[in-house]
Every structure is written in structure tokens, then in C-alpha cells.
Amino acid sequence: AKVGWQNTGERDVFYTAAAHFVLARLALWDNKPMARVDAGEALVRRVPDPAERREILSVLAKHDELKYGGGGTGALDPKERERVVAALEKFSASHA
């Protein structure tokens, strides 16, 4: 079953939620507040596969780009959504 944010068609909403999901998961695993998580460092420790790590980092980068660079509104490509959701599900399931 998909969570609500996984069904959104808006790119900015989707990537904000996806980035929050990654940071919340890392905070939980490291037992730290989200604001104190160094995502890059935590991902190096938690995700040994460089390709998978790049995928997760690209989600965080896309969020920052949409948040700070503007142009964040607009439709989310369904294939892009599927790819990101699959990467986050794998990340969540395999690195606790």
C-alpha cells in the first residue's frame, strides 16, 4: 500500500516528503534528532552500495534544488516517482 505522499502528482511535495523520509530514517537509526543528521556521512555508514547511495543522495539533492532553486512546481513523472519510491523502499528495508 502506498503512503499518501507517494501518490502526489506534485514534484515539490513528493521530494519534500521523500527527503523527510530519508532524514527521519537516518535519525532513527542513529538515535539523533533529524536536525543533527549529516546525511552524507550517515549514508556512507549505512549504505555500502555506491549506486544505491547515489540514488538516495540524488533524492536529497533534488529536494534542495526544488526548494532553493525554484521551479519546484509541476507534475511529477510517474516513472520518476516509481524509481524514487523503489529506491526508498529498498533503503528502508535493508539498512536498519
Side-chain angles (χ1 to χ4, degrees):
K2 289 192 174 181
V3 190
W5 65 267
Q6 293 177 353
N7 293 320
T8 183
E10 296 297 317
R11 294 179 81 222
D12 54 346
V13 173
F14 177 80
Y15 277 102
T16 296
H20 183 89
F21 175 82
V22 169
L23 293 173
R25 196 58 81 167
L26 292 171
L28 182 69
W29 290 337
D30 284 352
N31 196 23
K32 288 181 176 174
M34 260 176 62
R36 303 233 0 255
V37 170
D38 177 338
E41 183 272 332
L43 285 168
V44 167
R45 280 188 289 108
R46 295 280 177 185
V47 184
D49 177 10
E52 187 184 347
R53 195 165 56 237
R54 271 195 306 276
E55 187 75 43
I56 299 301
L57 285 169
S58 78
V59 170
L60 298 176
K62 177 62 81 175
H63 167 251
D64 287 346
E65 179 187 315
L66 293 172
K67 183 177 177 182
Y68 301 112
T73 55
L76 178 67
D77 179 74
K79 292 260 185 272
E80 182 181 1
R81 178 193 298 125
E82 279 176 32
R83 181 179 55 78
V84 171
V85 169
L88 294 182
E89 285 174 348
K90 181 180 177 190
F91 163 72
S92 176
S94 57
H95 301 293

